[in-house]
Amino acid sequence: MFDRHEGGEAAILVHIDFQQHANQDSHQEDLQEFVELVRSAGLQVMDIITAKRSSPDPKYFIGSGKIDEIKSAKQATEANVVIFNHNLSPAQQRNIEKAMDCLVIDRIGLILDIFAQRAFTFEGKLQVELAQLRHLSTRLIRGWTHLERQKGGIGLRGPGETQLETDRRLLRERIKYIEKRLDKVGKQREQGRRSRKRANIKTASIVGYTNAGKSTLFNLVTESDVIAEDMLFATLDPTHRRISLPQGTDIILADTVGFIRHLPHDLVAAFRATLEESVEADVLLHVIDAASERREENIEQVHQVLAQIGADSIQGLEVYNKIDLIEGAEPRIDRDGQGKPIRVWCSATKQLGIDLLLQAIEELAEDEQFIGQLCLPPQKGRVRGKLYELQAIESESVSEQGEILLNIKMAKSDWVRLARQLEEDLSPYVVARHEA
């Protein structure tokens, strides 16, 4: 999808600091993270142009004076691409490209390019192409010379079809085709999850901000060789491994793609099948770079993405990684008032606290049970059917009023997940409850 020049690309980076207004949060980005993103894409940073503004310029996103400054820097460094650490509108991107006479990429385009380089599996490539096509569809704007209406001639008279309309139609057809293929992949994943549930194997999904050390931790625990490099989005394709915990419990551990500030919506939508591994997990292992200066902000960004994909209600364990970079930090487990593990401090590279991590995972994998009785009206047969699918119903009877009385026993995480799938609060139907 992206034309990459041979021998690498020399880039001018543009970063704008906007005044701290609530409505400007969507434009606030981190300069250091931006440089890491560009280097992860394999680009050479020639110069960094920074500025301060109260709000974006409608035409160029930045002022005309900065446009001249970027143009001078481009000529002096012989750079062939200008990259903005912000999301540009199609019109802004077109105007800047016209002024610069070179390729201009915004933050979303940069992240998509990195994903395109990292995708190795068939599914991963499909997901990236879908995200690229959705992004490209917003860039099909009028005014290009090749979008003139086709001229009529003998045998070709009539209104015809503009090149713009042709491009849009082809895009729509390709997007539909990819979505169908990904739906098929999603069904195959769902089949695998059902098989694991029937075998009563718990799953733990590793999530976290990009470059927090997820893959390094995954490799250490599972004795695998997943790509683990000090770069953003080193891991794109999800990997599963079955491991045995200290007390003999078997679980499936899944390594997933990292999150980032303002993760493009198209990427979240395209990677739905992959992210469902997190939504359907029994335990979420939220890996955190404990030594990062932006630790709290990164934690909040991950929580936002988890809420976006519907995984925020799953029980989680915070894994504070890289404690070897913090003076005086020691491996330990932090617990809540009931003694349940909520946080583990460890280091994957130095292999510190890994035994504590496995212990905490095992405690959480021994899931709390939801035991109770439900009283369902006759029209709630769908709830009853779902409970039978989960093999949660121990006995069933009918009251004198025709209500369905169900004695159920199921994992608490399954109960929470069922309510979310049905998009309904099931608590009014609970007449007796006991958690074990």
Side-chain angles (χ1 to χ4, degrees):
M1 293 292 297
F2 292 95
D3 294 326
R4 304 187 63 81
H5 301 286
E6 293 183 5
E9 290 155 308
I12 300 290
L13 311 191
V14 183
H15 173 82
I16 311 298
D17 279 326
F18 290 98
Q19 293 178 0
Q20 294 291 336
H21 296 306
N23 61 343
Q24 294 298 341
D25 179 65
S26 61
H27 299 298
Q28 295 295 340
E29 305 295 353
D30 178 40
L31 179 56
Q32 182 182 351
E33 182 180 86
F34 178 38
V35 174
E36 290 176 7
L37 274 172
V38 172
R39 287 177 177 156
S40 294
L43 306 176
Q44 183 180 2
V45 178
M46 305 303 295
D47 199 356
I48 301 176
I49 307 295
T50 60
K52 290 186 178 180
R53 290 185 64 90
S54 58
S55 61
D57 177 74
K59 185 175 182 181
Y60 291 117
F61 194 82
I62 52 178
S64 56
K66 280 294 170 184
I67 288 287
D68 294 335
E69 183 180 342
I70 297 169
K71 198 183 299 183
S72 299
K74 170 182 166 291
Q75 292 171 349
T77 60
E78 297 184 351
N80 49 24
V81 60
V82 175
I83 306 178
F84 278 71
N85 191 22
H86 310 276
N87 297 336
L88 303 175
S89 72
Q92 287 169 338
Q93 187 171 347
R94 180 185 58 176
N95 292 336
I96 300 168
E97 283 186 341
K98 190 174 181 181
M100 296 292 165
D101 192 27
C102 73
L103 179 66
V104 174
I105 296 177
D106 66 356
R107 182 179 170 86
I108 292 181
L110 176 62
I111 294 174
L112 286 173
D113 185 70
I114 295 172
F115 272 52
Q117 295 180 59
R118 301 285 189 274
F120 296 109
T121 66
F122 174 70
E123 177 193 0
K125 290 176 181 178
L126 280 179
Q127 289 171 326
V128 171
E129 185 182 353
L130 178 59
Q132 288 177 326
L133 290 174
R134 284 174 171 163
H135 182 61
L136 181 63
S137 66
T138 66
R139 310 282 128 171
L140 292 180
I141 47 182
R142 295 186 181 278
W144 298 346
T145 55
H146 71 284
L147 300 185
E148 298 295 332
R149 184 170 293 279
Q150 295 169 357
K151 293 180 179 178
I154 184 160
L156 296 173
R157 300 185 193 280
E161 181 179 48
T162 66
Q163 184 64 45
L164 176 63
E165 290 163 350
T166 303
D167 291 344
R168 283 178 173 160
R169 176 172 53 78
L170 293 173
L171 272 177
R172 283 195 302 268
E173 290 173 357
R174 181 64 182 170
I175 287 173
K176 283 182 181 177
Y177 170 77
I178 295 175
E179 285 175 338
K180 285 182 180 178
R181 297 296 297 266
L182 287 176
D183 280 342
K184 188 175 180 181
V185 172
K187 289 174 182 175
Q188 290 170 345
R189 285 187 179 277
E190 176 63 27
Q191 213 169 18
R193 285 193 290 266
R194 286 179 181 172
S195 298
R196 292 196 292 269
K197 281 194 176 296
R198 281 196 296 270
N200 199 27
I201 301 177
K202 302 292 184 182
T203 58
S205 183
I206 299 178
V207 299
Y209 206 79
T210 182
N211 210 29
K214 298 183 298 300
S215 295
T216 304
L217 192 67
F218 180 85
N219 287 340
L220 181 61
V221 172
T222 64
E223 299 180 357
S224 302
D225 56 355
V226 171
I227 296 174
E229 298 180 28
D230 185 19
M231 64 169 61
L232 304 185
F233 299 116
T235 302
L236 184 59
D237 299 307
T239 309
H240 300 78
R241 293 291 185 274
R242 181 169 178 161
I243 63 171
S244 292
L245 297 173
Q247 300 300 318
T249 305
D250 282 356
I251 68 163
I252 300 293
L253 195 62
D255 187 19
T256 61
V257 63
F259 300 153
I260 197 169
R261 286 169 62 86
H262 304 141
L263 190 66
H265 177 74
D266 286 340
L267 276 179
V268 176
F271 280 75
R272 176 175 52 84
T274 301
L275 294 173
E276 277 177 1
E277 294 296 328
S278 299
V279 178
E280 298 295 332
D282 297 294
V283 180
L284 287 182
L285 305 181
H286 179 182
V287 179
I288 298 161
D289 182 350
S292 172
E293 295 178 356
R294 302 178 68 93
R295 186 174 77 188
E296 297 305 318
E297 292 180 34
N298 293 348
I299 291 172
E300 178 58 31
Q301 291 298 320
V302 172
H303 287 166
Q304 287 182 16
V305 177
L306 290 175
Q308 190 176 352
I309 64 176
D312 51 330
S313 60
I314 299 172
Q315 66 173 340
L317 177 69
E318 291 185 340
V319 182
Y320 278 66
N321 190 28
K322 305 186 183 181
I323 63 169
D324 55 298
L325 302 178
I326 303 176
E327 188 176 350
E330 294 289 337
R332 70 176 191 270
I333 297 178
D334 294 342
R335 300 177 181 274
D336 61 13
Q338 286 73 45
K340 181 180 178 182
I342 56 173
R343 194 176 299 112
V344 176
W345 298 76
C346 65
S347 169
T349 55
K350 299 296 182 180
Q351 300 187 21
L352 301 173
I354 303 304
D355 54 337
L356 297 177
L357 173 61
L358 295 176
Q359 176 189 331
I361 294 173
E362 189 156 39
E363 289 183 38
L364 293 175
E366 295 172 355
D367 209 349
E368 297 177 28
Q369 294 290 308
F370 176 84
I371 303 172
Q373 186 180 60
L374 299 185
C375 181
L376 298 175
Q379 62 267 30
K380 291 296 176 182
R382 185 181 174 212
V383 178
R384 173 179 171 273
K386 287 288 185 182
L387 288 168
Y388 268 109
E389 282 183 21
L390 293 169
Q391 300 179 350
I393 298 176
E394 294 197 313
S395 64
E396 177 181 355
S397 59
V398 180
S399 70
E400 294 180 357
Q401 290 75 31
E403 296 165 319
I404 305 169
L405 301 176
L406 302 174
N407 289 313
I408 64 170
K409 181 179 180 181
M410 61 195 300
K412 187 179 177 182
S413 59
D414 285 341
W415 170 257
V416 173
R417 191 178 292 119
L418 176 63
R420 187 175 65 244
Q421 288 176 346
L422 295 172
E423 297 181 346
E424 183 177 2
D425 180 14
L426 300 178
S427 57
Y429 308 120
V430 179
V431 293
R433 177 172 181 164
H434 171 67
E435 293 177 14

